[in-house]
Amino acid sequence: MALTHDAWKSLKEGNDYPVTFQIEERSRALEMTAWRSSRGRMGLRQIFADEAVGQQLLEDLRRGGTLSAIYEGRPLASFALADASAVVEELRRCQAS
């Protein structure tokens, strides 16, 4: 999972930041690591080494609703998950191939 934004100038590459993801009533806290994308933008990402954790997140996304990312009580981003089910199914097909 990754989030990037042009305005995130204060992130320090390699540092960890606690981000909470909330999908409707379900909430999940993650340590996301700051990184610089190939286009120079700063972002936060989390790579799931535990397949079960990644699968649970995909299931939460598939259910739909709204995904909110929160850092230190402040919203970072909010996404409508209207087409997330189709995206998750395509991700699974790609992984299977």
Side-chain angles (χ1 to χ4, degrees), residues 24-86:
E24 301 306 315
E25 71 282 353
R26 297 172 306 280
S27 183
R28 178 182 314 273
L30 298 174
E31 284 288 326
M32 298 188 78
T33 303
W35 64 294
R36 187 172 305 281
S37 73
S38 60
R39 294 183 180 175
R41 299 171 86 183
M42 287 302 295
L44 296 166
R45 70 178 170 189
Q46 170 62 269
I47 298 171
F48 298 102
D50 183 339
E51 186 175 338
V53 172
Q55 289 297 325
Q56 182 59 54
L57 181 60
L58 286 177
E59 285 303 314
D60 290 346
L61 292 172
R62 188 182 60 76
R63 287 187 194 110
T66 301
L67 167 69
S68 299
I70 303 158
Y71 174 69
E72 293 187 342
R74 295 185 309 252
L76 292 176
S78 185
F79 307 95
L81 299 175
D83 297 325
S85 183

